[in-house]
């Protein structure tokens, strides 16, 4: 009897450890606006003249290499306390072309990553891309869906929606990487971008039942703005219905005062990662766990006029040798 009792305890302990081990299979999904990652060469047909060696900014090979090293440091440290291998995927905005992405993933901190990128129609030449660790995420299909102009406005165009489908943790997952029009455009332009993304996600979920979708990007709006409502972003988990998205950054900004960029003394949180209902409510496989804005002291200006704001690359034409004017965001998924 005593032997049976001991064996039962051992079995329970084994099952408990097994459950905990399964729970601790964590995956990270990050987003980072690279703030004008340009090379030093002119791309025909693109307005990239301010990032050339003979421009007022004197964008030399030395400064370009410094920018690559700085970005690699940030991206190599995102989530490392929880994720020894780093994020499984990192969506990025403001990459000029495949050359700069090739140079970026050649940095020692990022050599485990490959990237998916399509040359888009942006007049300055900046695009979105998805970096991925091939041991953690297996891409299957990808495409760039070009945006439609709002009421014929070809000045404030969205930079295309990068859609990547694949498998992570044994689940089918879809990422949509965005960079919506800047605040130079009025709100309806970004609402129009959100409406197009909602059509895409509705179509994907209709064709692939239970597909786990993550929409990420520099949306140039805060979580409580009209464009995010159009996308179906919800502040609280219990508000998320089929077709909607959980937006944890709403609480992050509104209730905790944490943002990703500082403008005129006010924090905004444009860099968002939204989770659809199957990923939020999943009873098996991957599900959403928590999120964070990646904040470290060295990412901020330590003195002077811009003290407390993200340490960027330039102030006007003055080279600051910083990282980006945005902070990265990260969500943790658990299986």
């Amino acid at each position: 009897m005593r032997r049976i009792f001991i064996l039962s305890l051992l079995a329970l302990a084994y099952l408990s450890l097994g459950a905990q081990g399964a729970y601790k299979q964590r995956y990270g999904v990050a987003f980072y606006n690279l703030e004008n990652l340009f090379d030093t060469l002119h791309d025909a047909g693109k307005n990239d003249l301010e990032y050339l060696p003979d421009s007022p900014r004197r964008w030399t090979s030395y400064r370009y290499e410094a920018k690559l090293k700085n970005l690699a440091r940030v991206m190599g440290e995102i989530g490392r306390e929880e994720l020894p291998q780093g994020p499984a995927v990192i969506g990025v905005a403001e990459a000029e072309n495949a050359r700069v992405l090739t140079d970026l993933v050649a940095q020692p901190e990022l050599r485990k990553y490959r990237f998916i990128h399509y040359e888009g129609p942006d007049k300055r030449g900046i695009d979105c891309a998805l970096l991925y660790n091939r041991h953690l995420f297996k891409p299957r299909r990808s495409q760039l869906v070009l945006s439609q102009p709002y009421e014929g406005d070809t000045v404030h165009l969205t930079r295309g929606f990068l859609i990547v489908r694949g498998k992570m943790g044994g689940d089918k997952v879809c990422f949509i990487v965005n960079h919506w029009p800047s605040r130079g455009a009025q709100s309806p332009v970004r609402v129009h971008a959100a409406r197009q993304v909602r059509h895409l996600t509705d179509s994907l979920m209709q064709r692939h039942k239970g597909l786990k979708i993550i929409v990420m990007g520099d949306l140039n709006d805060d979580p409580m703005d009209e464009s995010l409502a159009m996308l179906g972003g919800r502040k609280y988990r219990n508000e998320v219905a089929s077709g909607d998205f959980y937006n944890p950054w709403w609480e992050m900004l509104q209730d905790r005062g944490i943002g990703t960029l500082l403008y005129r003394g006010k924090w905004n949180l444009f860099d968002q990662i939204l989770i659809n209902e199957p990923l939020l409510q999943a009873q098996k496989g991957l599900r959403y766990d928590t999120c964070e804005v990646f904040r470290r002291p060295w990412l901020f200006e330590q003195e002077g006029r811009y003290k407390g704001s993200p340490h960027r690359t330039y102030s006007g034409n003055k080279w600051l040798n910083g990282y980006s004017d945005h902070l990265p965001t990260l969500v943790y998924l658990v299986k």
Side-chain angles (χ1 to χ4, degrees):
M1 191 72 174
R2 176 183 171 83
R3 184 167 177 267
I4 294 173
F5 178 71
I6 291 172
L7 288 173
S8 299
L9 286 177
L10 288 172
L12 286 171
Y14 176 80
L15 290 172
S16 175
L17 286 170
Q20 290 176 26
Y23 181 81
K24 288 180 180 177
Q25 292 180 29
R26 295 170 71 82
Y27 296 81
V29 174
F31 176 79
Y32 195 24
N33 182 320
L34 305 178
E35 193 203 12
N36 296 319
L37 179 58
F38 283 85
D39 59 26
T40 61
L41 305 173
H42 174 55
D43 287 359
K46 300 294 185 181
N47 184 17
D48 59 0
L49 302 181
E50 64 180 322
Y51 285 95
L52 295 176
D54 59 355
S55 73
R57 290 193 166 183
R58 292 179 295 168
W59 187 241
T60 61
S61 295
Y62 177 82
R63 293 183 176 185
Y64 172 57
E65 292 292 339
K67 172 82 168 179
L68 291 170
K69 292 181 189 305
N70 289 347
L71 291 175
R73 179 188 178 190
V74 179
M75 298 166 75
E77 293 195 23
I78 294 174
R80 283 299 179 136
E81 293 88 348
E82 298 283 340
L83 306 164
Q85 297 188 70
V89 302
I90 306 174
V92 299
E94 299 197 12
E96 184 185 15
N97 49 41
R99 286 194 301 271
V100 301
L101 291 164
T102 299
D103 291 343
L104 184 62
V105 299
Q107 301 299 307
E109 300 91 335
L110 299 178
R111 283 179 182 160
K112 67 172 73 67
Y113 290 99
R114 297 180 178 180
F115 66 85
I116 296 171
H117 162 264
Y118 295 87
E119 189 65 37
D122 183 78
K123 293 177 181 178
R124 293 181 64 228
I126 54 174
D127 303 318
C128 295
L130 188 77
L131 278 60
Y132 65 95
N133 182 332
R134 61 191 177 91
H135 300 295
L136 301 175
F137 175 68
K138 307 287 186 185
R140 294 289 182 261
R141 293 189 177 183
S142 64
Q143 66 181 122
L144 181 70
V145 176
L146 299 183
S147 66
Q148 300 302 311
Y150 174 72
E151 296 184 349
D153 181 358
T154 58
V155 175
H156 302 106
L157 281 173
T158 302
R159 295 160 185 87
F161 313 111
L162 176 61
I163 304 176
V164 181
R165 286 195 287 130
K167 297 197 79 173
M168 186 164 68
D171 284 4
K172 294 179 181 178
V173 182
C174 178
F175 300 100
I176 304 179
V177 189
N178 301 255
H179 190 182
W180 293 356
S182 74
R183 286 293 179 102
Q186 298 298 309
S187 175
V189 179
R190 287 180 295 281
V191 173
H192 179 64
R195 184 179 294 112
Q196 293 177 76
V197 177
R198 182 63 189 251
H199 287 160
L200 289 172
T201 58
D202 285 347
S203 176
L204 283 164
M205 286 188 275
Q206 237 180 12
R207 285 185 283 127
H208 308 280
K209 299 299 182 185
L211 181 64
K212 297 179 177 180
I213 300 178
I214 292 177
V215 175
M216 67 170 84
D218 178 354
L219 308 182
N220 274 303
D221 267 335
D222 285 322
M224 63 287 296
D225 288 336
E226 184 181 357
S227 59
L228 276 302
M230 170 59 67
L231 182 58
R234 302 290 181 253
K235 182 177 182 180
Y236 300 111
R237 292 175 183 242
N238 59 8
E239 297 176 334
V240 179
S242 178
D244 290 340
F245 288 85
Y246 177 51
N247 192 337
W249 313 103
W250 192 332
E251 183 181 8
M252 182 77 72
L253 178 64
Q254 192 173 62
D255 299 350
R256 299 174 59 187
I258 297 174
T260 56
L261 67 156
L262 192 64
Y263 182 67
R264 294 182 178 176
K266 178 180 177 289
W267 281 102
N268 295 102
L269 209 163
F270 294 169
D271 308 271
Q272 299 168 50
I273 305 171
L274 291 88
I275 308 298
N276 78 332
E277 189 267 344
L279 191 51
L280 181 66
Q281 311 290 359
Q283 298 300 311
K284 61 179 182 178
L286 289 172
R287 64 177 174 81
Y288 170 79
D289 186 26
T290 186
C291 70
E292 71 167 305
V293 175
F294 184 71
R295 299 163 56 88
R296 298 297 181 270
W298 45 270
L299 281 170
F300 295 88
E301 293 281 358
Q302 300 299 316
E303 56 187 22
R305 178 182 174 187
Y306 299 106
K307 182 178 180 180
S309 63
H311 185 28
R312 60 191 302 166
T313 307
Y314 277 95
S315 173
N317 289 329
K318 181 183 178 182
W319 184 53
L320 302 179
N321 194 20
Y323 307 94
S324 171
D325 56 345
H326 292 242
L327 299 173
T329 47
L330 173 68
V331 300
Y332 296 96
L333 308 178
V334 67
K335 183 179 172 70

